[in-house]
């Protein structure tokens, strides 16, 4: 099975700062990776699909990059509503999730 | 816009079967991977499994022996059954299609 490892587990930043989240796969995924934002009491929200394509309605400050085994989600300038948990998910036959990165207010 | 809504008992006794239904509006369930995902309290998201093309299924190996996902295209719904539940199956359960998610439903396993 392909395992997704997200780092760091927690990212403490201030509004306006840049956030860089990593997702590493144990085997190559090509570009079959998605990123989700999850807030307490809400459904997860799709941000990025196919590693770098923004989902409909997602602000341009969110960007995804990478392919193969190393992927990155970047939030260029954190807004107050961006503090949440972020998950990567492989979008192949086994759509397992990474363990998540919590972006918290410093 | 696609809308999904999970429904089913919020309380299930240990050793019994958890049954949930996802009702879909705004698009047909046909042709999509229809996923179930859960989040235990204080933990991350866990993919349970999917059904595709009204028959092909794929399940998380850790749950495979206890899970059945089915679809009813005539009702535009798909369902999850998880048998022999324990307290470890207590979680918020979500259904998902192509990036659209339901709001989730909390299922507690307790006697």
């Amino acid at each position: 099975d392909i395992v997704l490892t997200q780092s760091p587990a927690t990212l403490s930043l201030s509004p306006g700062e840049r956030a860089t989240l990593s997702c590493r796969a144990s085997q190559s995924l090509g570009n079959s990776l998605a990123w989700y934002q999850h807030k307490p009491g809400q459904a997860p929200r799709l941000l990025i699909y196919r590693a770098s394509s923004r989902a409909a309605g997602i602000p341009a400050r969110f960007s995804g990059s990478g392919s193969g085994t190393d992927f990155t989600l970047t939030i260029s300038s954190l807004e107050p509503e961006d503090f949440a948990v972020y998950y990567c998910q492989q979008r192949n036959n086994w759509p397992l999730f990474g363990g998540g990165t919590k972006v918290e207010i410093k | 816009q696609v809308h999904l809504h999970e429904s089913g008992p919020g309380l299930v006794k240990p050793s019994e079967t958890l049954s949930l239904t996802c009702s879909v509006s705004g698009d047909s369930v046909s042709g999509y991977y229809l996923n179930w995902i859960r989040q235990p309290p204080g933990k991350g998201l866990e993919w349970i499994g999917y059904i595709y093309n009204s028959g092909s299924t794929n399940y998380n190996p850790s749950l495979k022996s206890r899970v059945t996902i089915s679809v009813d295209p005539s009702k535009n719904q798909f369902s999850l059954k998880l048998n022999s539940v324990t307290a470890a199956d207590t979680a918020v359960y979500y259904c998902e299609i192509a990036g659209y998610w339901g709001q989730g439903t909390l299922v507690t396993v307790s006697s």
Side-chain angles (χ1 to χ4, degrees):
Chain A
D1 294 348
I2 298 176
V3 176
L4 296 180
T5 302
Q6 291 189 241
S7 62
T10 303
L11 200 50
S12 298
L13 295 168
S14 300
E17 289 194 293
R18 182 183 188 90
T20 302
L21 288 67
S22 172
C23 178
R24 179 163 290 178
S26 59
Q27 300 176 39
S28 178
L29 299 178
N31 69 347
S32 296
L33 189 101
W35 289 95
Y36 290 89
Q37 177 192 69
H38 195 198
K39 296 179 181 179
Q42 297 184 19
R45 177 191 182 195
L46 177 65
L47 300 174
I48 302 289
Y49 63 96
R50 291 181 194 156
S52 60
S53 297
R54 261 192 307 277
I58 301 303
R61 64 180 181 273
F62 292 93
S63 63
S65 63
S67 65
T69 60
D70 288 296
F71 302 87
T72 301
L73 175 70
T74 302
I75 310 171
S76 59
S77 178
L78 283 164
E79 297 288 339
E81 62 268 27
D82 298 337
F83 292 91
V85 180
Y86 292 83
Y87 293 94
C88 58
Q89 184 195 30
Q90 51 182 311
R91 297 296 291 187
N92 56 12
N93 285 342
W94 304 94
L96 302 173
F97 291 89
T101 291
K102 181 179 181 180
V103 179
E104 65 176 23
I105 299 176
K106 186 175 181 180
Chain B
Q1 185 81 350
V2 180
H3 290 280
L4 294 84
H5 177 70
E6 305 90 351
S7 60
L11 181 64
V12 181
K13 289 182 169 54
S15 80
E16 295 190 345
T17 297
L18 178 159
S19 296
L20 296 173
T21 296
C22 181
S23 300
V24 181
S25 60
D27 203 349
S28 168
V29 296
S30 299
Y32 287 108
Y33 290 86
L34 312 175
N35 288 279
W36 285 98
I37 294 141
R38 70 182 183 179
Q39 184 178 34
K43 296 188 177 182
L45 298 173
E46 179 180 32
W47 171 70
I48 299 170
Y50 65 67
I51 187 166
Y52 177 64
N53 268 347
S54 298
S56 300
T57 56
N58 198 11
Y59 302 131
N60 189 319
S62 68
L63 299 168
K64 186 174 183 177
S65 63
R66 300 193 291 129
V67 174
T68 303
I69 296 175
S70 59
V71 62
D72 187 341
S74 68
K75 295 182 179 178
N76 223 36
Q77 294 177 337
F78 61 107
S79 297
L80 168 71
K81 290 189 187 298
L82 180 66
N83 59 36
S84 304
V85 297
T86 69
D89 295 310
T90 294
V92 176
Y93 285 77
Y94 298 96
C95 55
E96 182 263 343
I97 299 175
Y100 295 98
W101 294 62
Q103 281 300 304
T105 186
L106 173 63
V107 179
T108 301
V109 178
S110 174
S111 56

